[in-house]
Amino acid sequence: MLGEKQKVIVLIGPTAVGKTKLSIEIAKTFNAEIISGDSMQIYKGMDIGTAKITETEMEGIPHHLIDIKDPTESFSVAEFQTLVREKITQIHAKGKVPMIVGGTGLYIQSVIYDYQFAEDKKDSAIKWELEQLANIKGIDFLYEKLQKVDPESAKSIHKNNERRVIRALEVYEETGKKFSDYIKEQSHELIYDVILIGLTMDRETLYQRINQRVDMMMNEGLLQEVQGLYHKGVRDTQSIQAIGYKELYAYLEEEVSLDEAVEQLKQNSRRYAKRQLTWFRNKMPVHWFDVTGDKFHEMFAEIFTYIAGKLK
Protein backbone atom coordinates (compact mmCIF):
# COMPACT_ATOMS: atom_id res chain seq x y z
CA MET A 1 0.00 0.00 0.00
CA LEU A 2 1.37 3.42 -0.98
CA GLY A 3 2.51 5.44 2.00
CA GLU A 4 2.30 2.53 4.41
CA LYS A 5 4.83 2.83 7.21
CA GLN A 6 7.60 0.26 7.43
CA LYS A 7 7.40 -2.09 10.39
CA VAL A 8 10.29 -1.96 12.85
CA ILE A 9 10.68 -3.94 16.06
CA VAL A 10 12.40 -1.99 18.85
CA LEU A 11 13.60 -3.82 21.95
CA ILE A 12 14.72 -1.56 24.77
CA GLY A 13 15.46 -1.77 28.47
CA PRO A 14 18.12 -1.00 31.04
CA THR A 15 21.59 -2.50 31.05
CA ALA A 16 21.81 -6.16 32.21
CA VAL A 17 18.06 -6.82 31.88
CA GLY A 18 18.50 -9.54 29.24
CA LYS A 19 17.92 -7.82 25.88
CA THR A 20 20.65 -9.68 23.98
CA LYS A 21 19.36 -13.17 24.65
CA LEU A 22 15.76 -12.26 23.86
CA SER A 23 16.71 -10.35 20.71
CA ILE A 24 18.26 -13.45 19.16
CA GLU A 25 15.13 -15.52 19.84
CA ILE A 26 12.92 -12.79 18.34
CA ALA A 27 15.17 -12.50 15.28
CA LYS A 28 15.10 -16.26 14.67
CA THR A 29 11.33 -16.43 15.10
CA PHE A 30 10.39 -13.41 12.95
CA ASN A 31 13.16 -13.40 10.30
CA ALA A 32 14.71 -10.22 11.66
CA GLU A 33 18.11 -8.57 11.41
CA ILE A 34 19.42 -6.64 14.40
CA ILE A 35 20.60 -3.04 14.45
CA SER A 36 22.52 -2.05 17.58
CA GLY A 37 20.87 0.83 19.43
CA ASP A 38 23.86 1.32 21.71
CA SER A 39 25.97 4.45 21.29
CA MET A 40 29.17 2.73 22.46
CA GLN A 41 29.06 -0.65 20.71
CA ILE A 42 29.99 1.21 17.52
CA TYR A 43 33.61 1.35 18.76
CA LYS A 44 36.17 -1.28 17.79
CA GLY A 45 38.14 -2.82 20.63
CA MET A 46 35.57 -1.84 23.25
CA ASP A 47 33.93 -5.23 23.64
CA ILE A 48 33.82 -6.33 27.26
CA GLY A 49 32.91 -2.96 28.77
CA THR A 50 30.03 -2.38 26.35
CA ALA A 51 28.72 -5.97 26.76
CA LYS A 52 29.04 -6.37 22.99
CA ILE A 53 27.43 -9.48 21.59
CA THR A 54 29.92 -12.17 20.54
CA GLU A 55 29.98 -14.03 17.23
CA THR A 56 28.81 -17.18 19.02
CA GLU A 57 25.93 -15.38 20.74
CA MET A 58 24.72 -13.99 17.39
CA GLU A 59 23.80 -17.53 16.24
CA GLY A 60 24.14 -16.43 12.63
CA ILE A 61 21.75 -13.48 12.95
CA PRO A 62 23.13 -10.44 11.03
CA HIS A 63 24.01 -7.49 13.29
CA HIS A 64 24.56 -3.92 12.15
CA LEU A 65 26.28 -0.80 13.56
CA ILE A 66 28.77 -2.73 15.67
CA ASP A 67 32.52 -2.02 15.33
CA ILE A 68 32.15 0.77 12.78
CA LYS A 69 34.30 3.43 14.46
CA ASP A 70 37.74 3.68 16.02
CA PRO A 71 37.77 4.77 19.70
CA THR A 72 39.41 8.07 18.71
CA GLU A 73 36.49 9.04 16.44
CA SER A 74 33.41 10.96 17.49
CA PHE A 75 29.85 9.89 16.72
CA SER A 76 26.69 11.98 16.72
CA VAL A 77 23.00 11.29 17.12
CA ALA A 78 22.43 12.72 13.64
CA GLU A 79 24.96 10.28 12.14
CA PHE A 80 23.33 7.40 14.00
CA GLN A 81 19.90 8.43 12.71
CA THR A 82 21.12 8.47 9.10
CA LEU A 83 22.91 5.11 9.32
CA VAL A 84 20.06 3.29 11.06
CA ARG A 85 17.40 4.58 8.68
CA GLU A 86 19.54 3.38 5.76
CA LYS A 87 19.83 -0.05 7.40
CA ILE A 88 16.06 -0.21 7.98
CA THR A 89 15.46 0.39 4.27
CA GLN A 90 18.07 -2.19 3.25
CA ILE A 91 16.72 -4.87 5.60
CA HIS A 92 13.16 -4.33 4.40
CA ALA A 93 14.37 -4.62 0.79
CA LYS A 94 15.61 -8.13 1.63
CA GLY A 95 12.17 -9.10 2.87
CA LYS A 96 13.29 -9.17 6.49
CA VAL A 97 12.20 -7.30 9.61
CA PRO A 98 14.58 -4.69 11.07
CA MET A 99 14.92 -4.79 14.85
CA ILE A 100 16.70 -2.10 16.87
CA VAL A 101 18.06 -3.39 20.17
CA GLY A 102 19.68 -1.20 22.80
CA GLY A 103 19.51 1.16 25.67
CA THR A 104 20.58 4.58 24.35
CA GLY A 105 17.26 6.41 24.52
CA LEU A 106 17.96 9.59 22.56
CA TYR A 107 19.63 7.66 19.73
CA ILE A 108 16.69 5.28 19.30
CA GLN A 109 14.18 8.10 19.65
CA SER A 110 15.94 10.09 16.90
CA VAL A 111 15.43 7.20 14.47
CA ILE A 112 11.80 6.29 15.03
CA TYR A 113 10.47 9.86 15.43
CA ASP A 114 10.52 12.68 12.90
CA TYR A 115 13.63 14.25 14.39
CA GLN A 116 15.22 17.08 12.41
CA PHE A 117 18.74 18.17 13.30
CA ALA A 118 20.11 21.65 12.80
CA GLU A 119 22.31 21.62 9.71
CA ASP A 120 25.93 20.96 10.60
CA LYS A 121 27.92 23.21 8.28
CA LYS A 122 31.43 21.86 7.98
CA ASP A 123 32.76 25.25 6.80
CA SER A 124 30.85 27.36 9.34
CA ALA A 125 32.84 30.43 10.37
CA ILE A 126 31.35 30.25 13.88
CA LYS A 127 32.40 26.62 14.20
CA TRP A 128 35.94 27.52 13.08
CA GLU A 129 36.13 30.34 15.65
CA LEU A 130 34.93 28.04 18.43
CA GLU A 131 37.51 25.41 17.45
CA GLN A 132 40.24 28.07 17.60
CA LEU A 133 39.01 29.15 21.03
CA ALA A 134 39.20 25.54 22.18
CA ASN A 135 42.78 25.30 20.93
CA ILE A 136 43.84 28.58 22.55
CA LYS A 137 41.85 28.69 25.80
CA GLY A 138 40.94 25.04 26.26
CA ILE A 139 37.65 23.15 26.27
CA ASP A 140 36.95 24.21 29.88
CA PHE A 141 36.56 27.79 28.66
CA LEU A 142 33.95 26.77 26.07
CA TYR A 143 32.17 24.48 28.50
CA GLU A 144 31.79 27.32 31.01
CA LYS A 145 30.38 29.45 28.21
CA LEU A 146 27.86 26.71 27.39
CA GLN A 147 26.88 26.46 31.06
CA LYS A 148 25.98 30.18 30.99
CA VAL A 149 23.97 30.26 27.74
CA ASP A 150 22.45 26.76 27.81
CA PRO A 151 22.79 25.06 31.21
CA GLU A 152 20.43 22.24 30.24
CA SER A 153 22.63 21.19 27.32
CA ALA A 154 25.71 21.51 29.50
CA LYS A 155 24.22 18.99 31.94
CA SER A 156 23.75 16.40 29.18
CA ILE A 157 27.14 16.94 27.48
CA HIS A 158 30.41 15.90 29.10
CA LYS A 159 32.89 18.75 29.11
CA ASN A 160 35.53 16.57 27.41
CA ASN A 161 33.20 15.96 24.47
CA GLU A 162 34.61 18.90 22.54
CA ARG A 163 32.65 18.22 19.35
CA ARG A 164 29.27 18.32 21.11
CA VAL A 165 30.16 21.34 23.26
CA ILE A 166 31.17 23.23 20.10
CA ARG A 167 28.06 22.03 18.28
CA ALA A 168 25.71 23.26 21.03
CA LEU A 169 27.44 26.66 21.10
CA GLU A 170 27.42 26.86 17.31
CA VAL A 171 23.65 26.31 17.16
CA TYR A 172 23.11 28.95 19.85
CA GLU A 173 25.34 31.55 18.21
CA GLU A 174 23.99 30.91 14.72
CA THR A 175 20.28 30.78 15.53
CA GLY A 176 19.93 32.49 18.90
CA LYS A 177 18.10 29.38 20.07
CA LYS A 178 19.39 27.09 22.81
CA PHE A 179 20.34 23.65 21.57
CA SER A 180 18.28 22.08 24.40
CA ASP A 181 15.19 24.01 23.22
CA TYR A 182 15.82 22.89 19.66
CA ILE A 183 15.78 19.25 20.80
CA LYS A 184 12.56 19.77 22.81
CA GLU A 185 10.75 21.16 19.76
CA GLN A 186 11.26 17.98 17.77
CA SER A 187 8.23 16.25 16.30
CA HIS A 188 6.60 13.48 18.31
CA GLU A 189 5.30 11.67 15.23
CA LEU A 190 6.47 8.10 14.71
CA ILE A 191 7.72 7.66 11.15
CA TYR A 192 7.67 3.85 11.31
CA ASP A 193 5.07 1.29 12.34
CA VAL A 194 6.99 0.54 15.53
CA ILE A 195 6.52 -2.51 17.71
CA LEU A 196 8.09 -1.05 20.83
CA ILE A 197 8.91 -3.60 23.53
CA GLY A 198 10.56 -2.85 26.85
CA LEU A 199 12.04 -5.25 29.37
CA THR A 200 11.95 -4.38 33.04
CA MET A 201 12.45 -6.19 36.32
CA ASP A 202 12.42 -5.69 40.05
CA ARG A 203 14.91 -2.91 40.90
CA GLU A 204 16.78 -4.91 43.51
CA THR A 205 17.14 -7.89 41.16
CA LEU A 206 18.33 -5.64 38.34
CA TYR A 207 20.96 -3.99 40.54
CA GLN A 208 22.17 -7.41 41.66
CA ARG A 209 22.50 -8.47 38.01
CA ILE A 210 24.42 -5.28 37.23
CA ASN A 211 26.88 -5.91 40.07
CA GLN A 212 27.35 -9.51 38.93
CA ARG A 213 27.87 -8.37 35.34
CA VAL A 214 30.63 -5.97 36.40
CA ASP A 215 32.38 -8.75 38.34
CA MET A 216 32.07 -10.98 35.27
CA MET A 217 33.49 -8.25 33.02
CA MET A 218 36.49 -7.88 35.29
CA ASN A 219 37.03 -11.66 35.25
CA GLU A 220 36.79 -11.64 31.44
CA GLY A 221 39.56 -9.05 31.13
CA LEU A 222 37.94 -5.61 31.21
CA LEU A 223 40.97 -4.08 32.90
CA GLN A 224 43.26 -5.45 30.19
CA GLU A 225 40.91 -4.12 27.50
CA VAL A 226 41.00 -0.64 29.05
CA GLN A 227 44.78 -0.80 29.54
CA GLY A 228 45.12 -1.55 25.83
CA LEU A 229 43.26 1.65 24.93
CA TYR A 230 45.14 3.63 27.57
CA HIS A 231 48.56 2.53 26.32
CA LYS A 232 47.57 3.33 22.73
CA GLY A 233 47.16 6.93 23.88
CA VAL A 234 43.37 7.08 23.59
CA ARG A 235 42.56 10.10 25.79
CA ASP A 236 39.82 12.69 26.22
CA THR A 237 37.60 11.09 23.58
CA GLN A 238 33.87 10.51 23.39
CA SER A 239 34.40 6.74 23.65
CA ILE A 240 36.34 6.87 26.92
CA GLN A 241 33.45 8.68 28.62
CA ALA A 242 31.58 5.35 28.49
CA ILE A 243 30.79 3.66 31.79
CA GLY A 244 33.34 0.92 32.32
CA TYR A 245 36.16 2.89 30.76
CA LYS A 246 36.24 6.25 32.53
CA GLU A 247 36.28 4.55 35.96
CA LEU A 248 39.23 2.32 35.08
CA TYR A 249 41.04 5.23 33.45
CA ALA A 250 40.86 6.92 36.87
CA TYR A 251 42.58 3.83 38.32
CA LEU A 252 45.24 3.85 35.59
CA GLU A 253 45.85 7.54 36.31
CA GLU A 254 46.38 6.53 39.97
CA GLU A 255 43.48 8.67 41.14
CA VAL A 256 41.71 5.75 42.85
CA SER A 257 42.44 2.14 43.85
CA LEU A 258 41.23 -0.72 41.66
CA ASP A 259 38.60 -1.69 44.27
CA GLU A 260 37.33 1.90 44.32
CA ALA A 261 37.21 2.02 40.52
CA VAL A 262 35.20 -1.22 40.32
CA GLU A 263 32.79 -0.02 43.00
CA GLN A 264 32.36 3.28 41.13
CA LEU A 265 31.71 1.31 37.95
CA LYS A 266 28.95 -0.66 39.65
CA GLN A 267 27.40 2.46 41.11
CA ASN A 268 27.51 4.35 37.80
CA SER A 269 25.98 1.35 36.00
CA ARG A 270 23.12 1.19 38.51
CA ARG A 271 22.50 4.93 38.16
CA TYR A 272 22.58 4.63 34.37
CA ALA A 273 19.99 1.84 34.47
CA LYS A 274 17.72 4.07 36.54
CA ARG A 275 18.15 6.93 34.05
CA GLN A 276 17.43 4.58 31.14
CA LEU A 277 14.14 3.44 32.65
CA THR A 278 13.10 7.02 33.41
CA TRP A 279 13.87 8.11 29.85
CA PHE A 280 12.00 5.28 28.18
CA ARG A 281 8.95 5.68 30.41
CA ASN A 282 8.76 9.43 29.81
CA LYS A 283 9.66 9.62 26.13
CA MET A 284 8.22 6.62 24.30
CA PRO A 285 5.01 4.53 24.21
CA VAL A 286 6.62 1.30 25.37
CA HIS A 287 4.79 -1.98 25.93
CA TRP A 288 6.56 -3.26 29.05
CA PHE A 289 7.23 -6.86 30.02
CA ASP A 290 8.45 -7.74 33.51
CA VAL A 291 11.14 -10.42 33.24
CA THR A 292 12.03 -10.71 36.93
CA GLY A 293 13.28 -14.13 38.01
CA ASP A 294 11.31 -17.13 36.75
CA LYS A 295 9.11 -14.89 34.62
CA PHE A 296 11.74 -14.59 31.89
CA HIS A 297 10.83 -17.68 29.86
CA GLU A 298 7.14 -17.19 30.60
CA MET A 299 7.46 -13.70 29.14
CA PHE A 300 9.07 -15.05 25.95
CA ALA A 301 5.74 -16.57 24.89
CA GLU A 302 3.82 -13.38 25.73
CA ILE A 303 6.31 -11.21 23.85
CA PHE A 304 6.23 -13.47 20.78
CA THR A 305 2.42 -13.42 20.77
CA TYR A 306 2.45 -9.63 21.07
CA ILE A 307 4.92 -9.22 18.17
CA ALA A 308 3.06 -11.72 15.96
CA GLY A 309 -0.16 -9.77 16.44
CA LYS A 310 1.52 -6.51 15.46
CA LEU A 311 3.29 -7.93 12.40
CA LYS A 312 0.04 -9.07 10.74
Side-chain angles (χ1 to χ4, degrees), residues 146-162:
L146 181 62
Q147 285 177 312
K148 289 174 185 172
V149 300
D150 187 358
E152 195 169 341
S153 285
K155 282 181 184 176
S156 66
I157 300 172
H158 193 280
K159 72 174 183 179
N160 288 340
N161 195 337
E162 184 174 312

Side-chain angles (χ1 to χ4, degrees), residues 24-32 304:
I24 296 299
E25 296 305 317
I26 292 173
K28 288 193 293 188
T29 303
F30 297 102
N31 192 27
F304 291 162

Side-chain angles (χ1 to χ4, degrees), residues 200-217:
T200 186
M201 64 172 51
D202 170 77
R203 186 70 56 89
E204 189 177 330
T205 305
L206 179 62
Y207 286 175
Q208 187 179 4
R209 283 172 64 99
I210 288 170
N211 292 340
Q212 289 170 347
R213 172 182 272 192
V214 171
D215 289 335
M216 185 174 69
M217 285 177 170

Side-chain angles (χ1 to χ4, degrees), residues 201-238:
M201 64 172 51
D202 170 77
R203 186 70 56 89
E204 189 177 330
T205 305
L206 179 62
Y207 286 175
Q208 187 179 4
R209 283 172 64 99
I210 288 170
N211 292 340
Q212 289 170 347
R213 172 182 272 192
V214 171
D215 289 335
M216 185 174 69
M217 285 177 170
M218 292 301 293
N219 290 334
E220 289 175 350
L222 177 59
L223 179 57
Q224 289 73 26
E225 180 173 279
V226 176
Q227 283 173 326
L229 295 166
Y230 185 83
H231 293 311
K232 284 179 185 174
V234 181
R235 300 281 196 285
D236 299 328
T237 62
Q238 182 177 344

Side-chain angles (χ1 to χ4, degrees), residues 133-174:
L133 271 176
N135 290 333
I136 297 165
K137 296 194 175 184
I139 191 60
D140 285 351
F141 175 80
L142 289 187
Y143 188 73
E144 286 172 16
K145 187 173 182 176
L146 181 62
Q147 285 177 312
K148 289 174 185 172
V149 300
D150 187 358
E152 195 169 341
S153 285
K155 282 181 184 176
S156 66
I157 300 172
H158 193 280
K159 72 174 183 179
N160 288 340
N161 195 337
E162 184 174 312
R163 182 192 56 77
R164 286 193 67 202
V165 171
I166 288 174
R167 182 68 185 130
L169 284 170
E170 182 190 8
V171 169
Y172 177 77
E173 295 193 10
E174 249 183 18

